[in-house]
Amino acid sequence: MSPSDLPGPYHGIHPAPPQAGWEKVAWQECFSRATRIRVHEHTCECKKIVYELCQAGGLIFVRRLYRASDGTAVLETEWLRPALARQLWMRILLGQMR
């Protein structure tokens, strides 16, 4: 399936709504641990909360941006080995974690 096969304009991935029994992610304040951070994937910009799957220094983490009228609050998960971080990312997208 290509984006042209989708009904209407495609504008990004939307995480599923929280599912029954969803778990809370341990979000923490962002610290400047690396000079360069690469965003591999992100959710759609049309929502108030945007998630980004980021990598720096061989570790991966999820960044959460909450856009409010008074500014954007940015939190992130702990920095994890790639396999664990990708599991976390998938669980956020599936609505199993928030």
Side-chain angles (χ1 to χ4, degrees):
M1 177 182 277
S2 72
S4 63
D5 296 330
L6 297 171
Y10 176 76
H11 54 96
I13 299 169
H14 290 165
Q19 303 299 305
W22 66 275
E23 297 176 43
K24 185 169 174 48
V25 174
W27 297 107
Q28 54 195 17
E29 190 176 328
C30 299
F31 295 103
S32 183
R33 292 177 54 178
T35 55
R36 287 199 230 175
I37 295 174
R38 180 176 178 191
V39 177
H40 285 276
E41 297 182 45
H42 61 86
T43 61
C44 189
E45 299 277 339
C46 75
K47 301 292 183 179
K48 274 189 170 183
I49 297 176
V50 175
Y51 298 97
E52 297 177 336
L53 182 65
C54 303
Q55 180 176 1
L59 297 174
I60 298 180
F61 61 97
V62 178
R63 185 185 290 156
R64 178 184 183 267
L65 297 90
Y66 175 75
R67 297 184 176 141
S69 59
D70 60 345
T72 301
V74 182
L75 298 172
E76 63 187 34
T77 63
E78 64 180 306
W79 292 32
L80 302 164
R81 293 183 315 228
L84 293 174
R86 291 201 178 275
Q87 286 176 354
L88 172 62
W89 176 249
M90 191 55 59
R91 293 189 70 200
I92 289 171
L93 293 180
L94 293 173
Q96 298 170 352
M97 297 188 84
R98 282 291 191 271

